[in-house]
Amino acid sequence: SQDLSLQPKSIEDKLTFYLLDIESGLSHNVVYSIAQDSLGFIWVATENGLSKYNGTKFFNFKKEHPILKSNINNNYIQQVALNHGKIYLATEDGLNVFDPKTEIFKVFNKSNGLLNYTVSSLAFSPDDKIIVGAYDGGIQFVNENNWEYESIKHEPNKINSLSSNQISCLEMQGDSILWAGTYNDGLNKINY
């Protein structure tokens, strides 16, 4: 006979799972992105707002939040990213920048310089620019200090342009390579 205590355990036997959902206080059960700040808070981008988790409970940020000094401008958040102590949100209605110290959201969208209202992804360049991937708008490089904008787009007759303007995700590799995924036309490797 075999001694069952000597058999290797599966990974599931070694891990403990906890479900955190709407009933636990999460703003929605569809989660698109997660980030952790320097204080240990977990920031969760959902289909219905931003949730901040302190290890015990959630605090939710929504467009119609009654208590905050300012609110996000759209509850559909595709990505949350952190940079220099600020929280950046890619939403269906632009880029939201939250400063936890002042508890104020700043909103940047097509009406004040972005390529498109729908921001699908974010990354940060080595020279501290915000790299914004827009759905059907290409890629935009934003200097947050003076809000200057530069952009790259798909140009059908140019072989050295983006393969598509429908950007789904961005990732900065080191200080020289920007990866840009598209919804409909593959992956772009850009020498930054």
Side-chain angles (χ1 to χ4, degrees):
S1 83
Q2 281 186 327
D3 185 355
L4 295 176
S5 65
L6 297 177
Q7 290 184 351
K9 293 185 176 190
S10 69
I11 190 73
E12 289 87 4
D13 293 337
K14 297 176 185 175
L15 300 176
T16 303
F17 291 88
Y18 300 96
L19 174 63
L20 300 171
D21 59 7
I22 290 175
E23 291 179 14
S24 309
L26 186 65
S27 61
H28 198 276
N29 284 339
V30 176
V31 174
Y32 291 110
S33 177
I34 304 166
Q36 183 175 18
D37 68 19
S38 62
L39 299 174
F41 294 113
I42 302 294
W43 296 85
V44 184
T46 78
E47 197 170 279
N48 191 25
L50 175 69
S51 293
K52 175 183 171 185
Y53 185 62
N54 67 7
T56 306
K57 62 182 180 177
F58 288 98
F59 182 83
N60 296 314
F61 299 83
K62 294 190 178 190
K63 184 175 180 177
E64 60 281 345
H65 198 286
I67 299 171
L68 295 174
K69 297 175 190 174
S70 67
N71 296 315
I72 56 177
N73 70 331
N74 191 292
N75 286 336
Y76 192 95
I77 303 169
Q78 297 192 45
Q79 184 181 355
V80 58
L82 300 118
N83 194 36
H84 298 300
K86 293 182 183 173
I87 314 297
Y88 295 80
L89 306 174
T91 78
E92 289 287 305
D93 193 17
L95 169 66
N96 286 243
V97 181
F98 179 66
D99 185 340
K101 293 176 186 174
T102 62
E103 293 188 340
I104 293 178
F105 282 95
K106 289 183 182 176
V107 177
F108 302 92
N109 56 28
K110 193 172 182 178
S111 65
N112 56 11
L114 287 185
L115 290 169
N116 197 334
Y117 282 103
T118 303
V119 176
S120 53
S121 57
L122 300 167
F124 301 95
S125 72
D127 56 350
D128 275 339
K129 289 183 181 169
I130 306 165
I131 306 171
V132 176
Y135 180 79
D136 213 22
I139 299 173
Q140 193 163 23
F141 302 88
V142 180
N143 183 336
E144 191 177 358
N145 295 328
N146 57 13
W147 291 100
E148 290 180 344
Y149 303 92
E150 298 173 69
S151 62
I152 55 175
K153 290 185 157 207
H154 170 68
E155 297 177 42
N157 299 326
K158 248 182 135 175
I159 194 149
N160 282 349
S161 73
L162 286 174
S163 62
S164 170
N165 284 328
Q166 297 181 349
I167 305 302
S168 61
C169 56
L170 295 168
E171 181 65 39
M172 194 71 203
Q173 179 184 358
D175 62 357
S176 61
I177 304 294
L178 174 64
W179 294 92
T182 67
Y183 283 102
N184 60 346
D185 210 2
L187 178 65
N188 293 262
K189 181 181 178 183
I190 303 160
N191 189 340
Y192 187 77

